[in-house]
Amino acid sequence: MKRINLLFLAILFSMTMMAQKTIVTGVLKDSIHNTTEPHATVRVYKENKLGKPVAMSVTGVNGEIRQAVSGKGKYVITFNSIGKKEIRREFTLNGESNINLGTVFTVDDSKLLKGVEVVAQKPLVKMETDKMTYNVQEDVDSKSQTVLDMLRKVPMVTVDGQDNISVNGGSSYKIYVDGKPNPMFNSNASQIFKAMPASMVKNIEVITNPGAKYDAEGTSCILNININHNGGSTAANMNGYNGSVSATAGTRGYRGSASVSGQQGKFSYNAMGLYKYGKQNGTEVQFDRSQSDGSNMHYYQKGKNHTPITLGNIGLGLELDSMSSMHASLNLMKYRIHNEGHPTTTLSGGSYGNGFSYSNLNILNMDNFSLNASADYSRFLNKDRTSSISLTYQFSTEPHRQRNYSYYDKNYSNIPYFNISDRFTDDHPHSTEHTVQLDYVTPLAKGQTLSMGTKYIHHLNRSNSKFYDILNGVETYNADNSLIYQDKQSIGAAYAEYNGTFGKFSTRDGLRYEHTWESISYELGKGSDYKKNYGNLVPSASFTYNINPAVNFGINYAMHILRPGITYLNPYIDKSNPTALTYGNPNLEVEKSHNIGLVANLYTPKFLFNLTASENFCNNQIGEYTFLDSKNLLNTTYSNDIRNRWTNISTFMRWVPKRNTTLMFSGGMDYGDIRSKKLNQKNNGWQFNGYLGLEQTLPWSLQWSIGTFGQSRQYNLQGYNGGITFFTTAFTKKLLDDKLNISLRYNVPFTGKFKITQYTHSNAYEQKMKITVPIQDINLTVTWNFGNTKKHFQQHQSRVNNEYGEQKSVNQQLGTGTGTGTGTGTGTGIGM
């Protein structure tokens, strides 16, 4: 009897051990781009029994592997994803509760079967219901275009004729670099992207629903630019380096860039630098303004623009042990804009009687410098690496100087209407920001995680705006027209976000609270000091349903805010133009907006399709508006009284009909309704944009690309900006085992020049403006790639994923103008 009991216990123990489940975890990634592989099929087989799997699943949206396996012994696990070779790994189970495979890398499957040609979609675009990733390095045009040019192709991104960037139909977005905020990119996006060659960027992410861990301010969308430095540590035995040197010369200027990255043991590094000199000569600006009293103004100028820009970056990483690491980075940028023009202004009719004309030389010199530095520490808290904590510090400073000279052709003191005399304005805005952030991630159950974090930002904006009268060639300081102004903001934030996957359904729900303490003081000039503090509770939610690994649907909701920064609040009156005044509004309140979106994605080996529909509405939008005062001066300022409703539909399609041919379309349409009770104005209308491209591999492996871009008029409260069309084509040849790339590109508008129209009206005036830019360009790019390894190292993603920063007006975002002194800058141009 005793022997029977022992036998029974042995059998029971054996059955229990056989029934015990082991969780196999890891991450599936692309070996070239180091991007995760979502929805890949996972199969587990017993060794020597590969006919029928004992377990199956798919990888998560971030490529995570989580497969339960029962029993002991030797097993084979396989991974299959579209366009990739099947990956196999062997492992042995001895009753462990968990086994981690680490990072499993996939490779492209370009093999031709006998008599059958396998045509697979390139991994150019990865679509998720709340994020889209455009792999720039897979686009043949990346060898010869700039980042700004590439953005015209990216789904849900629009670049107009004046290089203004909008994302998902709006301008309320933030720019991140390598997963962390970068104030210098946000402040000078167009200038940097026009200077930066696309070959320096690995991919561009459009995050349409950032979630609670990101700042509530201005982040209805995030444009994340991942630099192609491939830096970061993965394993101590992955040693080597890679780099490239590139040079471009064309009819619109020249540029050069260099980058290097690598790893030695537990130490990794990356560095890049670029210099660009751009020129734009012969830009014409003219407008006609008619006022309700019968007076008219005609303006014409032909100007030129020169912009040198220097940009540098360095990053260092150290793997302290298998569970923790440290990273640091430093970014520097310096650029100067020189605009020069000689406008003529003619006024007649109404209060001007028979009329008069005046002309002047206008010179604008804008010097910009930015420094951004960060350091962070991260540590995994368990062996499965599913729980982690990270601490990050970031510092940025942006001192600028803008000098505007107006020299009139003769003495116009006999004109009684305006103060037309030589003048000089010298503006020194300076911003400094300190950020500290702590993040914690922990699993709750199978397929469920909780993320929590807290953040503190201290931001200081200071503006020293000086006005000088030039009398007999001597600059005389005018204190009455000058201003010294300071704005301090401290922001404390906390968030919690839940992520859960339940079979084919997944959800992400979050809540964020931000509290702002703000004080504004005037050292010189008219204005009242004041202090205020307020809090904002911001929810977000995202739901996804995966029909199969190639088809998914989703719905997203998010609320966003925009704090008015010094650009909007500064009451300093810019009087550099005798017929126009520009100033901010210190009484603005926080803007609050809501966005609801529906997303559908379809992926096959030959066809990729995305459709996104969204509705965005705001009842107190901060917007720019203009009006005429009692002295017939055009005033430009800001209001909180704008109500808007925007319905957006965008799509992206990529089709590979045969191995050497690829067609692509990216486009969208919006319907907007914009109203203001205070101004008694409203506007509405449809607007469209689209990019159609063809990539073809010709004999001798010569790659040819051709593309056309078009955009209809874009509406605002008081009018619209006219549409544009554009054509580009390039030939690229790779030599010496892809070490040498040579590209020849031609850019031209269909009209030969960019002809941009602007229409503005109010109850007191109507204005029609036309800007003509000779943008036709041909350029040659040569790139040399070097290195002693083909391995691509893991790129570090900072935990600082949000920031304070104000939305820039069009002119400030461009950081340029034509020297017209009209209060309207134009800095148009496709980057070379």
Side-chain angles (χ1 to χ4, degrees), residues 398 429-433 459-463 485-489 518-519 521 564-567 804-806 808:
E398 294 186 89
H430 186 182
S431 64
T432 303
E433 181 178 288
H459 194 94
L460 174 63
N461 276 314
R462 181 179 173 84
S463 179
Y485 171 90
Q486 185 169 272
D487 177 19
K488 293 181 181 178
Q489 279 194 344
E518 184 174 16
S519 65
S521 59
I566 193 169
T567 299
Y804 166 83
E806 59 176 301
K808 298 292 183 181

Side-chain angles (χ1 to χ4, degrees), residues 773-790:
V773 186
I775 199 64
Q776 185 171 328
D777 178 40
I778 184 169
N779 59 72
L780 178 69
T781 300
V782 179
T783 302
W784 174 258
N785 301 306
F786 61 88
N788 64 357
T789 176
K790 291 186 178 180

Side-chain angles (χ1 to χ4, degrees), residues 428-450:
H428 293 258
H430 186 182
S431 64
T432 303
E433 181 178 288
H434 300 267
T435 302
V436 179
Q437 181 168 328
L438 178 67
D439 295 277
Y440 172 69
V441 180
T442 185
L444 298 178
K446 180 181 178 180
Q448 302 178 60
T449 60
L450 176 65

Side-chain angles (χ1 to χ4, degrees), residues 483 485-486 519-522 525-531 571 586-587:
L483 177 71
Y485 171 90
Q486 185 169 272
S519 65
I520 294 178
S521 59
Y522 300 88
K526 299 177 181 179
S528 301
D529 297 356
Y530 71 90
K531 295 182 179 180
N587 298 316

